[in-house]
Amino acid sequence: MTPKEVLEFAKANKAEMVDFKFIDFPGSWQHFATPISEFPEIIFEEGSGFDGSSIRGWQAINDSDMLAVPDPTTAIMDPFTKTPTLSVVCNIKDPIQNKPYPKDPRHIAQKAEAYLKASGIGDTAYFGPEAEFFIFDHVRYDQNAQSAYYYVDSEEGVWNRGKEGVNFGHKPRHKEGYFPVPPVDSQEDIRTEMVLEMQKAGIVIEKEHHEVATAGQAEIDMRFDSMLKMADQLMLYKYIAKNVAKRHGKTVTFMPKPIFNDNGSGMHTHQSIWKDGKPLFAGDEYAGVSQMCLYYIGGILKHAHALAAFTNPTTNSYKRLTPGFEAPVNLAYSSRNRSASIRIPMYSSSPKAKRIEVRFPDPTCNPYLAFSAMLMAGLDGIENKIDPGDPVDKNLYELDAKEAVGIKTMPSSLEEALNALEADYAFLLKGDVFTEGAIQTWLSYKRESEVDAIRVRPHPYEFVLYYDI
């Protein structure tokens, strides 16, 4: 929609408020709202002022005035507000410089798309993330000087099969949640409601299903779209999933590993490059891909350790990325093989369906940063003709020591990933897509707020291991 059409849309839907949504640096939506009377057409150019000093990873208090500039193409009616409310996603502008704010993740994604076009390689990068999540019935957690704990529960959790009282016993066992019918799958109606709300908001949904883990693990698959649009849609996807769950007295988490000894939640991310309406990843090479596609894979594999700082950006991410468990930690590519970190799907022989699936990301990532970083790594592979090596078509989880020689694995901790990013980020600076300041802010924020914060706190399991020594 154009700005004028947005105002007509708001009037037709009797909107009384306007919600300005924008993303902070780590990757959570923030918002403020104004009455519709304070939403003139000029606001799409001038923006609405707000204090950015408390936004994670942004300006200091002495340099905090910001402008939120609505993108008219993102306008929808918010499905969860009591009062009719128009929702718009915003770009952030520095009012003093009169330029886009360089730490605005959405602006970084816009620059990545612009870099792709300027490179001449292609004009559109399509992304299709498969974000997994858990739907729990109850969660408690706390950390203070003398205690630390978490407690999650689900009526569907296999640990409740012996629960006293009314208990119908249909619980998916650990690692057996893929794809039982009801009553074992107890959340089909909730996922369906999520799908319907997503469709009303303009997201094209391909399928929904229960995921592998017990206790309500779910996946809803969106149709691929251009990179920036898909990042916008992923934020909306998470917003809808959480709020529909709340309607039902439940809670959603996108944490990669909220449950011990069962599968975690990943976000396999499909990617392809097109130009002039033609797919560029189809060809006559391995698995029906082009040489360009293989070079793109080479770039992802070369920079995978640095990419992990954006694609797997939490300390909890590495509870899922553990060798020998379910996550694809082996840095290899293959067709159909889900034990490789990059898979070439073989569902269709159509050139339009040719893509790669990067399997190590998880849904705690900031999609604007993670998608942009993967695109820049892939483009670096194309520009420098980076050879991805030979494919590996065996089950990588069952390789013996001799076969595994030479196959690198993903970082084992967030600290290791951040160190890798610090040593390898020149490819992200091309075209001023990521700035030096943005990279350094990411490194310092993650180290101080997460790595160091976890390092200095006793873990409950340490008491199990060490209390009686």
Side-chain angles (χ1 to χ4, degrees), residues 14 22 28 43 77 116 126 132 166 190 234 280 302 306 311 315 350 357 359 394 428 453 460:
K14 300 180 180 180
F22 59 95
S28 294
I43 208 166
M77 293 301 294
L116 169 63
Y126 285 113
E132 299 166 347
V166 178
I190 296 176
L234 182 57
L280 302 183
K302 177 182 177 180
T311 60
T315 58
S350 169
E357 177 192 50
R359 293 177 58 78
K394 295 182 178 180
L428 297 172

Side-chain angles (χ1 to χ4, degrees), residues 52-130:
S53 63
S54 296
I55 304 302
R56 296 180 297 173
W58 283 14
Q59 299 284 47
I61 195 168
N62 60 316
D63 192 19
S64 58
D65 287 352
M66 292 286 168
L67 292 168
V69 183
D71 181 340
T73 67
T74 67
I76 62 168
M77 293 301 294
D78 193 303
F80 302 106
T81 54
K82 181 179 179 180
T83 300
T85 299
L86 180 75
S87 172
V88 286
V89 177
C90 300
N91 295 313
I92 306 303
K93 189 175 181 180
D94 184 323
I96 306 302
Q97 300 293 328
N98 196 31
K99 293 180 180 179
Y101 182 47
K103 293 181 186 177
D104 174 16
R106 197 167 189 268
H107 179 54
I108 290 173
Q110 290 169 328
K111 289 190 290 182
E113 288 190 322
Y115 180 78
L116 169 63
K117 293 178 181 178
S119 73
I121 292 170
D123 53 37
T124 307
Y126 285 113
F127 276 68
E130 300 175 351

Side-chain angles (χ1 to χ4, degrees), residues 237-410:
Y237 171 107
K238 295 172 78 171
Y239 179 71
I240 289 172
K242 291 175 181 178
N243 280 284
V244 168
K246 186 180 178 183
R247 279 180 183 168
H248 291 263
K250 297 181 185 292
T251 177
V252 156
T253 182
F254 288 88
M255 280 180 66
K257 197 73 171 181
I259 295 178
F260 169 64
N261 206 33
D262 209 336
N263 279 33
S265 294
M267 191 181 75
H268 308 148
T269 305
H270 297 253
Q271 302 168 43
S272 64
I273 295 177
W274 291 48
K275 187 174 185 178
D276 299 327
K278 297 180 180 179
L280 302 183
F281 277 11
D284 299 323
E285 302 294 331
Y286 171 79
V289 302
S290 64
Q291 184 63 62
M292 178 187 288
C293 180
L294 291 176
Y295 288 146
Y296 189 99
I297 291 172
I300 297 287
L301 293 176
K302 177 182 177 180
H303 299 295
H305 280 214
L307 290 176
F310 293 111
T311 60
N312 306 84
T314 68
T315 58
N316 187 252
S317 297
Y318 299 87
K319 303 294 193 294
R320 167 180 170 263
L321 284 183
T322 303
F325 289 82
E326 85 280 359
V329 299
N330 296 286
L331 291 172
Y333 72 101
S334 181
S335 66
R336 302 182 68 185
N337 184 358
R338 283 173 166 79
S339 66
S341 60
I342 297 179
R343 185 177 73 95
I344 300 170
M346 301 297 288
Y347 296 119
S348 171
S349 59
S350 169
K352 294 182 178 180
K354 262 322 158 191
R355 61 197 187 274
I356 68 166
E357 177 192 50
V358 182
R359 293 177 58 78
F360 52 77
D362 70 55
T364 56
C365 72
N366 182 324
Y368 301 97
L369 301 182
F371 294 173
S372 297
M374 285 189 281
L375 176 61
M376 295 301 290
L379 293 178
D380 186 61
I382 295 170
E383 291 164 348
N384 292 292
K385 296 182 169 56
I386 298 173
D387 184 357
D390 294 328
V392 181
D393 291 326
K394 295 182 178 180
N395 185 342
L396 288 158
Y397 300 140
E398 297 178 355
L399 295 182
D400 59 36
K402 185 177 180 180
E403 291 175 311
V405 170
I407 299 178
K408 295 182 179 179
T409 60
M410 290 293 289

